[in-house]
Amino acid sequence: HAEADLVVPAEFTCPITRELMTQPVSTIDGQTYEEVAIERWFASGHTSSPITGLSLSSLALTSNIALRSAIESYLAEQPQVQARKREFDDLQSCLEAREADLKDAVAKNDDSVPRAELQRVLAQLRLAQECLTACWIP
């Protein structure tokens, strides 16, 4: 994950993925998981707790806002996270500027670069932006 060298308190990690949670949610039995991980657990047909193995009376999930805030506060105090955020912001700005340049070239029918190549690069830039956003921790 984005902060591989960051020592994370165990309470901040998902018991399913063993990774830092960014969207912690609680199940009916009070256990907390990363939202996507527990949703996948349920989608695969499980109706029990991944931790206890006991059947859950409901598959409803509740956002654990207090834990999410604690994780965000903890990360905001870590110098390596702050440096990573600056890198992310710089890269995001570069991608947005390049995308704007390429869109302008397409709009002007700039023949110096084939239109198919411009569309391919734009698609790659959008994918890179989605990956950066998905991988970035608050």
Side-chain angles (χ1 to χ4, degrees):
H1 217 253
E3 305 310 325
D5 57 348
L6 180 66
V7 177
V8 177
E11 303 81 33
F12 294 173
T13 62
C14 174
I16 297 172
T17 65
R18 305 277 189 242
E19 293 183 9
L20 179 67
M21 292 185 280
T22 58
Q23 295 296 320
V25 294
S26 297
T27 53
I28 193 79
D29 64 350
Q31 301 296 331
T32 299
Y33 307 91
E34 178 62 30
E35 185 174 27
V36 172
I38 192 66
E39 286 175 346
R40 284 184 185 147
W41 174 264
F42 292 150
S44 69
H46 297 283
T47 58
S48 60
S49 167
I51 292 177
T52 67
L54 298 174
S55 182
L56 298 171
S57 61
S58 169
L59 302 184
L61 301 172
T62 304
S63 291
N64 192 329
I65 297 167
L67 181 58
R68 185 175 67 226
S69 294
I71 292 169
E72 289 172 356
S73 294
Y74 173 79
L75 291 175
E77 296 171 2
Q78 305 305 310
Q80 61 269 50
V81 173
Q82 294 170 1
R84 185 65 176 230
K85 177 151 179 30
R86 283 190 299 277
E87 291 171 11
F88 171 82
D89 291 343
D90 290 346
L91 187 53
Q92 185 71 23
S93 294
C94 289
L95 287 172
E96 289 170 359
R98 183 67 177 139
E99 183 174 16
D101 290 346
L102 291 171
K103 284 181 178 177
D104 285 346
V106 168
K108 294 176 184 174
N109 289 321
D110 185 345
D111 292 333
S112 64
V113 178
R115 187 175 190 83
E117 177 68 9
L118 291 173
Q119 294 298 342
R120 184 186 66 76
V121 171
L122 283 173
Q124 287 179 332
L125 286 171
R126 282 191 291 279
L127 179 61
Q129 287 172 322
E130 289 171 15
C131 288
L132 282 173
T133 302
C135 293
W136 170 240
I137 299 171

